[in-house]
Amino acid sequence: VSQASWPSGTECVAKYNFQGSTEQDLPFCKGDLLTIIGVTKDPNWYKAKNSVGREGMIPANYVQKREGVKSGGKLSLMPWFHGKITREQAERLLYPPETGLFLARESTNYPGDYTLCVSCDGKVEHYRIIYHDGKLSIDEEEYFDNLMQLVEHYTKDADGLCTRLIKPKLMEGTVAAQDEFSRSGWAMNRKDLKLIQTIGKGEFGDVMVGDYRGTKVAVKCIKHDATAQAFLAEASVMTQLRHTNLVQLLGVIVEERGSLFIVTEYMAKVSAVSLNIAVKMCLCPCGSDVCEAMEYLEANNFVHRDLAARNVLVSDDNIAKVSDFGLTKEASSTQDTAKLPVKWTSPEALREKKFSTKSDVWSYGVLLWEIYSFGRVPYPRIPLKEVVPRVEKGYKMEAPDGCPAAVYDLMKQCWTLDPAGRPSFRLLREKLQESVSVCVEVPAGVDRAVPGFL
């Protein structure tokens, strides 16, 4: 273990239990999260603290450094699935023969079905997987919800196949998601997670309050294998980001049966707080908090692509944090525009798929407008289909009632049609901090929590 690679602030996860033998030691259990806070003269020991702030000495070889997962789109829940390949291609991939070596592919003879290809006794057997009424089956006796469940079943028992599935033939260029999250120190144990209450339902799954080893957490539960595959990119991005104003990933659970759990810090939402109190808590500081988060993403070459008030949460201690990294990518990548929110997305991103920090700046201007208008939907009274044509002709939303002139000026700078003319997040933060001393009056008769922070 090299101390040079374990500076103060390094996050690590326990590989084994450690009871400690002196009062200076910090006991921990396998899977506990720890933070290095100092080196010692002995390279085999570090000073560290646990999740509740207790400090002590830990053995370096008992913990694993957490690293960012950078496989991105190469991560796969089904690395043995090769998509549209022919029978002959499958047989070449499974050569030389090795009993139990297997892969799955789309069926060429029966479109919509799959084929399980298994090497056994020197030849390859091809088993048709029938898709019927939303279920998959080989023998029409055992039915499964998805391919992962089917493969899991036959890895444990041949159950009529020529052999049990023993070794997956990975598709070239893919990495098994569970292996990569484990290697980098982000895999959590499902047995340690207790799901308590659903706090949100969406198209792709539920968001729940949970308990992980005594810590209150938020959990995205994605239970369909194809959908879970799409969320792997979000989880991998979150392993690379660490900032006070970003919702922090705590870990990932990949189940063999196709479920994915993304575990993050729990954020108290401003739900039972009236607008009058919410203004004092988070109106001006919120814009600055979000700007600091975006400045961090800017410095690390990440583009959020879905910045909006709905994706900003507020913690117990009233710190605003940016969440929902489903569209976040490195600045050099492209994005399908079909699912983008029109009212928050810059014209060049909608028109030419040109995403950059500057397109995030545009969205930030819209977010500021949401905050200072107390949660109104942007471009009020303008039909959605008319928003983009009017914006491209230079239209800008009017200042919200009571919004300081300096803040509205920042919004308009964010909405400069030429991306090069928009300010950086660093400049925005500096200007916004100069403006937050201005008090904002709550419009008469308004007494509701701010949408987007609920």
Side-chain angles (χ1 to χ4, degrees), residues 253-274:
I253 298 170
V254 180
E255 286 196 328
E256 291 181 339
R257 296 179 65 82
S259 296
L260 176 69
F261 300 89
I262 300 176
V263 185
T264 67
E265 62 178 317
Y266 175 76
M267 301 291 291
K269 299 182 179 181
V270 185
S271 55
V273 183
S274 73

PDB file of all heavy atoms in Angstrom, residues 253-274:
ATOM      1  N   ILE A 253     -26.243  -1.593  -5.945  1.00  0.00           N
ATOM      2  CA  ILE A 253     -26.527  -3.023  -5.778  1.00  0.00           C
ATOM      3  C   ILE A 253     -27.054  -3.548  -7.110  1.00  0.00           C
ATOM      4  O   ILE A 253     -28.040  -3.032  -7.641  1.00  0.00           O
ATOM      5  CB  ILE A 253     -27.569  -3.268  -4.672  1.00  0.00           C
ATOM      6  CG1 ILE A 253     -27.040  -2.773  -3.318  1.00  0.00           C
ATOM      7  CG2 ILE A 253     -27.937  -4.750  -4.594  1.00  0.00           C
ATOM      8  CD1 ILE A 253     -28.082  -2.745  -2.222  1.00  0.00           C
ATOM      9  N   VAL A 254     -26.368  -4.531  -7.666  1.00  0.00           N
ATOM     10  CA  VAL A 254     -26.802  -5.179  -8.904  1.00  0.00           C
ATOM     11  C   VAL A 254     -27.230  -6.592  -8.543  1.00  0.00           C
ATOM     12  O   VAL A 254     -26.433  -7.392  -8.067  1.00  0.00           O
ATOM     13  CB  VAL A 254     -25.669  -5.228  -9.952  1.00  0.00           C
ATOM     14  CG1 VAL A 254     -26.159  -5.921 -11.225  1.00  0.00           C
ATOM     15  CG2 VAL A 254     -25.176  -3.825 -10.272  1.00  0.00           C
ATOM     16  N   GLU A 255     -28.512  -6.887  -8.757  1.00  0.00           N
ATOM     17  CA  GLU A 255     -29.017  -8.229  -8.458  1.00  0.00           C
ATOM     18  C   GLU A 255     -28.978  -9.111  -9.696  1.00  0.00           C
ATOM     19  O   GLU A 255     -29.182  -8.646 -10.821  1.00  0.00           O
ATOM     20  CB  GLU A 255     -30.454  -8.150  -7.929  1.00  0.00           C
ATOM     21  CG  GLU A 255     -30.550  -7.626  -6.503  1.00  0.00           C
ATOM     22  CD  GLU A 255     -31.908  -7.916  -5.896  1.00  0.00           C
ATOM     23  OE1 GLU A 255     -32.902  -7.942  -6.647  1.00  0.00           O
ATOM     24  OE2 GLU A 255     -31.969  -8.125  -4.674  1.00  0.00           O
ATOM     25  N   GLU A 256     -28.732 -10.381  -9.479  1.00  0.00           N
ATOM     26  CA  GLU A 256     -28.653 -11.323 -10.591  1.00  0.00           C
ATOM     27  C   GLU A 256     -29.971 -11.405 -11.356  1.00  0.00           C
ATOM     28  O   GLU A 256     -29.993 -11.739 -12.537  1.00  0.00           O
ATOM     29  CB  GLU A 256     -28.271 -12.712 -10.080  1.00  0.00           C
ATOM     30  CG  GLU A 256     -26.844 -12.812  -9.569  1.00  0.00           C
ATOM     31  CD  GLU A 256     -26.504 -14.212  -9.085  1.00  0.00           C
ATOM     32  OE1 GLU A 256     -27.453 -14.969  -8.777  1.00  0.00           O
ATOM     33  OE2 GLU A 256     -25.314 -14.545  -9.020  1.00  0.00           O
ATOM     34  N   ARG A 257     -31.067 -11.102 -10.690  1.00  0.00           N
ATOM     35  CA  ARG A 257     -32.384 -11.238 -11.316  1.00  0.00           C
ATOM     36  C   ARG A 257     -32.803  -9.990 -12.092  1.00  0.00           C
ATOM     37  O   ARG A 257     -33.942  -9.874 -12.515  1.00  0.00           O
ATOM     38  CB  ARG A 257     -33.432 -11.572 -10.256  1.00  0.00           C
ATOM     39  CG  ARG A 257     -33.173 -12.915  -9.593  1.00  0.00           C
ATOM     40  CD  ARG A 257     -34.204 -13.215  -8.520  1.00  0.00           C
ATOM     41  NE  ARG A 257     -35.544 -13.380  -9.070  1.00  0.00           N
ATOM     42  CZ  ARG A 257     -35.999 -14.497  -9.626  1.00  0.00           C
ATOM     43  NH1 ARG A 257     -35.202 -15.555  -9.720  1.00  0.00           N
ATOM     44  NH2 ARG A 257     -37.226 -14.567 -10.097  1.00  0.00           N
ATOM     45  N   GLY A 258     -31.874  -9.030 -12.275  1.00  0.00           N
ATOM     46  CA  GLY A 258     -32.164  -7.914 -13.156  1.00  0.00           C
ATOM     47  C   GLY A 258     -32.491  -6.603 -12.486  1.00  0.00           C
ATOM     48  O   GLY A 258     -32.754  -5.614 -13.166  1.00  0.00           O
ATOM     49  N   SER A 259     -32.525  -6.565 -11.159  1.00  0.00           N
ATOM     50  CA  SER A 259     -32.825  -5.326 -10.456  1.00  0.00           C
ATOM     51  C   SER A 259     -31.555  -4.530 -10.197  1.00  0.00           C
ATOM     52  O   SER A 259     -30.480  -5.084 -10.004  1.00  0.00           O
ATOM     53  CB  SER A 259     -33.528  -5.619  -9.124  1.00  0.00           C
ATOM     54  OG  SER A 259     -34.784  -6.224  -9.338  1.00  0.00           O
ATOM     55  N   LEU A 260     -31.705  -3.200 -10.183  1.00  0.00           N
ATOM     56  CA  LEU A 260     -30.605  -2.304  -9.883  1.00  0.00           C
ATOM     57  C   LEU A 260     -31.068  -1.329  -8.809  1.00  0.00           C
ATOM     58  O   LEU A 260     -32.153  -0.761  -8.894  1.00  0.00           O
ATOM     59  CB  LEU A 260     -30.195  -1.532 -11.142  1.00  0.00           C
ATOM     60  CG  LEU A 260     -29.112  -0.460 -10.978  1.00  0.00           C
ATOM     61  CD1 LEU A 260     -27.765  -1.101 -10.676  1.00  0.00           C
ATOM     62  CD2 LEU A 260     -29.010   0.396 -12.240  1.00  0.00           C
ATOM     63  N   PHE A 261     -30.245  -1.160  -7.772  1.00  0.00           N
ATOM     64  CA  PHE A 261     -30.547  -0.220  -6.705  1.00  0.00           C
ATOM     65  C   PHE A 261     -29.415   0.807  -6.649  1.00  0.00           C
ATOM     66  O   PHE A 261     -28.254   0.442  -6.459  1.00  0.00           O
ATOM     67  CB  PHE A 261     -30.651  -0.931  -5.353  1.00  0.00           C
ATOM     68  CG  PHE A 261     -31.724  -1.987  -5.300  1.00  0.00           C
ATOM     69  CD1 PHE A 261     -31.458  -3.298  -5.663  1.00  0.00           C
ATOM     70  CD2 PHE A 261     -33.014  -1.666  -4.900  1.00  0.00           C
ATOM     71  CE1 PHE A 261     -32.442  -4.276  -5.626  1.00  0.00           C
ATOM     72  CE2 PHE A 261     -34.007  -2.635  -4.856  1.00  0.00           C
ATOM     73  CZ  PHE A 261     -33.725  -3.938  -5.220  1.00  0.00           C
ATOM     74  N   ILE A 262     -29.764   2.090  -6.849  1.00  0.00           N
ATOM     75  CA  ILE A 262     -28.802   3.179  -6.742  1.00  0.00           C
ATOM     76  C   ILE A 262     -29.052   3.868  -5.407  1.00  0.00           C
ATOM     77  O   ILE A 262     -30.108   4.472  -5.195  1.00  0.00           O
ATOM     78  CB  ILE A 262     -28.946   4.174  -7.909  1.00  0.00           C
ATOM     79  CG1 ILE A 262     -28.710   3.450  -9.243  1.00  0.00           C
ATOM     80  CG2 ILE A 262     -27.969   5.328  -7.750  1.00  0.00           C
ATOM     81  CD1 ILE A 262     -28.918   4.340 -10.462  1.00  0.00           C
ATOM     82  N   VAL A 263     -28.091   3.749  -4.489  1.00  0.00           N
ATOM     83  CA  VAL A 263     -28.257   4.228  -3.115  1.00  0.00           C
ATOM     84  C   VAL A 263     -27.528   5.559  -2.950  1.00  0.00           C
ATOM     85  O   VAL A 263     -26.320   5.649  -3.195  1.00  0.00           O
ATOM     86  CB  VAL A 263     -27.713   3.197  -2.104  1.00  0.00           C
ATOM     87  CG1 VAL A 263     -27.995   3.653  -0.674  1.00  0.00           C
ATOM     88  CG2 VAL A 263     -28.340   1.817  -2.355  1.00  0.00           C
ATOM     89  N   THR A 264     -28.257   6.595  -2.551  1.00  0.00           N
ATOM     90  CA  THR A 264     -27.665   7.916  -2.371  1.00  0.00           C
ATOM     91  C   THR A 264     -27.969   8.453  -0.976  1.00  0.00           C
ATOM     92  O   THR A 264     -28.794   7.896  -0.242  1.00  0.00           O
ATOM     93  CB  THR A 264     -28.212   8.927  -3.400  1.00  0.00           C
ATOM     94  OG1 THR A 264     -29.605   9.169  -3.132  1.00  0.00           O
ATOM     95  CG2 THR A 264     -28.046   8.412  -4.816  1.00  0.00           C
ATOM     96  N   GLU A 265     -27.310   9.546  -0.628  1.00  0.00           N
ATOM     97  CA  GLU A 265     -27.628  10.212   0.627  1.00  0.00           C
ATOM     98  C   GLU A 265     -29.093  10.631   0.597  1.00  0.00           C
ATOM     99  O   GLU A 265     -29.641  10.957  -0.442  1.00  0.00           O
ATOM    100  CB  GLU A 265     -26.733  11.428   0.844  1.00  0.00           C
ATOM    101  CG  GLU A 265     -26.866  12.520  -0.206  1.00  0.00           C
ATOM    102  CD  GLU A 265     -25.989  13.724   0.085  1.00  0.00           C
ATOM    103  OE1 GLU A 265     -25.928  14.144   1.259  1.00  0.00           O
ATOM    104  OE2 GLU A 265     -25.356  14.236  -0.861  1.00  0.00           O
ATOM    105  N   TYR A 266     -29.713  10.609   1.771  1.00  0.00           N
ATOM    106  CA  TYR A 266     -31.116  10.993   1.868  1.00  0.00           C
ATOM    107  C   TYR A 266     -31.227  12.501   1.964  1.00  0.00           C
ATOM    108  O   TYR A 266     -30.500  13.144   2.715  1.00  0.00           O
ATOM    109  CB  TYR A 266     -31.771  10.358   3.097  1.00  0.00           C
ATOM    110  CG  TYR A 266     -33.189  10.826   3.316  1.00  0.00           C
ATOM    111  CD1 TYR A 266     -34.226  10.340   2.524  1.00  0.00           C
ATOM    112  CD2 TYR A 266     -33.492  11.774   4.289  1.00  0.00           C
ATOM    113  CE1 TYR A 266     -35.526  10.767   2.701  1.00  0.00           C
ATOM    114  CE2 TYR A 266     -34.795  12.210   4.481  1.00  0.00           C
ATOM    115  CZ  TYR A 266     -35.807  11.700   3.681  1.00  0.00           C
ATOM    116  OH  TYR A 266     -37.088  12.142   3.854  1.00  0.00           O
ATOM    117  N   MET A 267     -32.124  13.069   1.170  1.00  0.00           N
ATOM    118  CA  MET A 267     -32.325  14.512   1.174  1.00  0.00           C
ATOM    119  C   MET A 267     -33.722  14.830   1.692  1.00  0.00           C
ATOM    120  O   MET A 267     -34.721  14.392   1.121  1.00  0.00           O
ATOM    121  CB  MET A 267     -32.163  15.073  -0.239  1.00  0.00           C
ATOM    122  CG  MET A 267     -30.804  14.816  -0.856  1.00  0.00           C
ATOM    123  SD  MET A 267     -29.519  15.749  -0.054  1.00  0.00           S
ATOM    124  CE  MET A 267     -29.959  17.403  -0.569  1.00  0.00           C
ATOM    125  N   ALA A 268     -33.800  15.597   2.775  1.00  0.00           N
ATOM    126  CA  ALA A 268     -35.094  16.053   3.262  1.00  0.00           C
ATOM    127  C   ALA A 268     -35.642  17.053   2.258  1.00  0.00           C
ATOM    128  O   ALA A 268     -34.935  17.950   1.821  1.00  0.00           O
ATOM    129  CB  ALA A 268     -34.930  16.716   4.625  1.00  0.00           C
ATOM    130  N   LYS A 269     -36.890  16.897   1.882  1.00  0.00           N
ATOM    131  CA  LYS A 269     -37.471  17.795   0.893  1.00  0.00           C
ATOM    132  C   LYS A 269     -38.340  18.840   1.590  1.00  0.00           C
ATOM    133  O   LYS A 269     -38.992  18.562   2.576  1.00  0.00           O
ATOM    134  CB  LYS A 269     -38.312  16.998  -0.108  1.00  0.00           C
ATOM    135  CG  LYS A 269     -37.482  15.980  -0.877  1.00  0.00           C
ATOM    136  CD  LYS A 269     -38.329  15.241  -1.877  1.00  0.00           C
ATOM    137  CE  LYS A 269     -37.490  14.235  -2.661  1.00  0.00           C
ATOM    138  NZ  LYS A 269     -38.281  13.515  -3.665  1.00  0.00           N
ATOM    139  N   VAL A 270     -38.342  20.075   1.054  1.00  0.00           N
ATOM    140  CA  VAL A 270     -39.126  21.148   1.641  1.00  0.00           C
ATOM    141  C   VAL A 270     -40.568  20.923   1.227  1.00  0.00           C
ATOM    142  O   VAL A 270     -41.020  21.386   0.188  1.00  0.00           O
ATOM    143  CB  VAL A 270     -38.630  22.519   1.151  1.00  0.00           C
ATOM    144  CG1 VAL A 270     -39.366  23.641   1.864  1.00  0.00           C
ATOM    145  CG2 VAL A 270     -37.139  22.649   1.387  1.00  0.00           C
ATOM    146  N   SER A 271     -41.319  20.184   2.042  1.00  0.00           N
ATOM    147  CA  SER A 271     -42.676  19.837   1.654  1.00  0.00           C
ATOM    148  C   SER A 271     -43.721  20.465   2.572  1.00  0.00           C
ATOM    149  O   SER A 271     -44.747  20.947   2.098  1.00  0.00           O
ATOM    150  CB  SER A 271     -42.847  18.324   1.650  1.00  0.00           C
ATOM    151  OG  SER A 271     -42.493  17.794   2.890  1.00  0.00           O
ATOM    152  N   ALA A 272     -43.441  20.494   3.853  1.00  0.00           N
ATOM    153  CA  ALA A 272     -44.421  21.024   4.790  1.00  0.00           C
ATOM    154  C   ALA A 272     -44.053  22.432   5.221  1.00  0.00           C
ATOM    155  O   ALA A 272     -44.486  22.920   6.254  1.00  0.00           O
ATOM    156  CB  ALA A 272     -44.510  20.114   6.015  1.00  0.00           C
ATOM    157  N   VAL A 273     -43.234  23.100   4.401  1.00  0.00           N
ATOM    158  CA  VAL A 273     -42.769  24.434   4.742  1.00  0.00           C
ATOM    159  C   VAL A 273     -43.450  25.444   3.836  1.00  0.00           C
ATOM    160  O   VAL A 273     -43.470  25.284   2.622  1.00  0.00           O
ATOM    161  CB  VAL A 273     -41.234  24.533   4.567  1.00  0.00           C
ATOM    162  CG1 VAL A 273     -40.745  25.910   4.993  1.00  0.00           C
ATOM    163  CG2 VAL A 273     -40.558  23.446   5.373  1.00  0.00           C
ATOM    164  N   SER A 274     -44.000  26.504   4.406  1.00  0.00           N
ATOM    165  CA  SER A 274     -44.665  27.511   3.580  1.00  0.00           C
ATOM    166  C   SER A 274     -43.632  28.274   2.772  1.00  0.00           C
ATOM    167  O   SER A 274     -42.450  28.302   3.107  1.00  0.00           O
ATOM    168  CB  SER A 274     -45.449  28.480   4.458  1.00  0.00           C
ATOM    169  OG  SER A 274     -44.560  29.347   5.151  1.00  0.00           O
TER     170      SER A 274
END
